[in-house]
Amino acid sequence: MSSPPHAALASSFNAVAAQYAAARPGYPATLFEAVEEVTGRALAGAEVLDVGAGTGIATRLLAARGARVTAVEPGEGMAERLRAAAPDVRLVRGDGDALPFRDGAADLITYAQSWHWTDPRRSVPEALRVLRPGGALAMWWNQPDLDVPWVARQEERLAARCPAYRPPGFPGTVAGRLAPFGVRTTGRRVRWSRSITVEDRLRSLSSHSYLAVMDAGEAEAVLNAERADLLTLFPDGVLTEPYVVDLVVGWGAAAD
Ligand SMILES: C[S@@+](CC[C@H](N)C(=O)[O-])C[C@H]1O[C@@H](n2cnc3c(N)ncnc32)[C@H](O)[C@@H]1O
């Protein structure tokens, strides 16, 4: 089976928004501290556009740190969850490739594991237009920590069984993709973990695009095999899920 087109993967989250909202991981405080340190400004009071906000996992954490955050999300299924979880947050249905905002509107544009769904030929000029002079982009991805053997083995199995699987390590290519637009970047890496049940880990996996686009029966077979493996490793049904968050902060030429 060949991998589905990018657009089908990008919109696949709407069908699994409930699992996404229930089980996907958040982001640690150290990530937001790194964003503040690298950008040189506090999130409190900053005008932030959180693009590809999904169910609002990052949006709510930014708001909790005092950012004046607007969530930007193209998909109705995901937006509906965000509205339910954060009714006070301003939500704009929009796309990173055509931001519905005036020039110079934002201090910071964030993409929490969403920038790779945009088309850089359009999304980077759009972000540079909407940022005020000196404003920054911040994009980050929760990546499975492949230094942990059971995680590495599970990723290998998922890669073998899911045609649209994308290997961790994508953030390493981001600086090269931004450079043609005159964007200079700084990267940071933050490690963290969370304790969850095996069932929630499976729910979280099922909300990944590479499983969401599979035939339902095939996806269920993959998840059943993973359940059996995880319960052998963690018979009491609880595990520690280790993450590496890769952060890339970028500035346009106007910031120099
Ligand atoms: C992996 S989810 C990330 C959601 C959220 N930011 C988080 O941290 O959990 C990716 C999100 O990007 C959205 N998306 C897909 N294509 C997009 C685009 N061109 N512009 C902005 N967002 C997009 C999807 O609808 C989805 O909500």
Side-chain angles (χ1 to χ4, degrees):
M1 189 171 104
S2 63
S3 180
H6 184 83
L9 287 161
S11 62
S12 68
F13 298 101
N14 295 296
V16 289
Q19 295 94 304
Y20 200 113
R24 275 291 190 111
Y27 305 102
T30 44
L31 170 69
F32 297 99
E33 287 157 15
V35 170
E36 290 183 323
E37 194 187 312
V38 176
T39 60
R41 77 156 291 167
L43 285 165
E47 286 293 340
V48 179
L49 302 178
D50 184 35
V51 178
T55 61
I57 295 175
T59 312
R60 282 175 279 151
L61 292 167
L62 288 161
R65 297 185 80 91
R68 292 144 63 96
V69 61
T70 299
V72 183
E73 169 55 41
E76 177 51 29
M78 296 295 264
E80 196 182 327
R81 297 279 160 182
L82 193 151
R83 268 187 223 108
D88 297 335
V89 166
R90 182 175 175 230
L91 167 63
V92 172
R93 296 291 305 287
D95 189 309
D97 296 337
L99 290 171
F101 300 99
R102 64 174 169 78
D103 296 5
D107 297 310
L108 179 68
I109 303 184
T110 55
Y111 306 81
Q113 36 215 85
S114 59
W115 185 76
H116 58 294
W117 295 118
T118 70
D119 176 352
R121 290 167 301 181
R122 298 167 66 198
S123 65
V124 180
E126 270 299 82
L128 296 176
R129 175 184 69 74
V130 169
L131 282 174
R132 67 159 176 76
L137 303 169
M139 46 191 80
W140 61 81
W141 290 265
N142 257 330
Q143 308 249 69
D145 187 344
L146 300 180
D147 288 345
V148 177
W150 73 262
V151 175
R153 284 197 301 273
Q154 183 168 63
E155 294 298 316
E156 277 167 22
R157 287 193 301 273
L158 293 169
R161 293 194 69 174
C162 307
Y165 178 89
R166 185 196 298 257
F170 171 79
T173 68
V174 170
R177 289 169 191 237
L178 291 170
F181 301 94
V183 177
R184 62 187 167 80
T185 55
T186 296
R188 284 288 168 86
R189 178 164 270 201
V190 171
R191 284 175 193 273
W192 73 290
S193 63
R194 66 170 179 167
S195 173
I196 58 163
T197 63
V198 165
E199 288 308 314
D200 273 344
R201 172 144 179 104
L202 296 170
R203 217 166 270 132
S204 179
L205 287 178
S206 73
S207 74
H208 282 266
S209 58
Y210 57 79
L211 271 161
V213 295
M214 282 173 79
D215 167 83
E218 286 174 19
E220 198 181 330
V222 170
L223 292 169
N224 283 340
E226 293 310 320
R227 175 180 291 105
D229 197 77
L230 289 173
L231 286 174
T232 304
L233 288 169
F234 308 105
D236 61 356
V238 178
L239 56 86
T240 297
E241 199 177 49
Y243 285 105
V244 173
V245 189
D246 278 319
L247 166 70
V248 180
V249 176
W251 298 265
D256 290 328

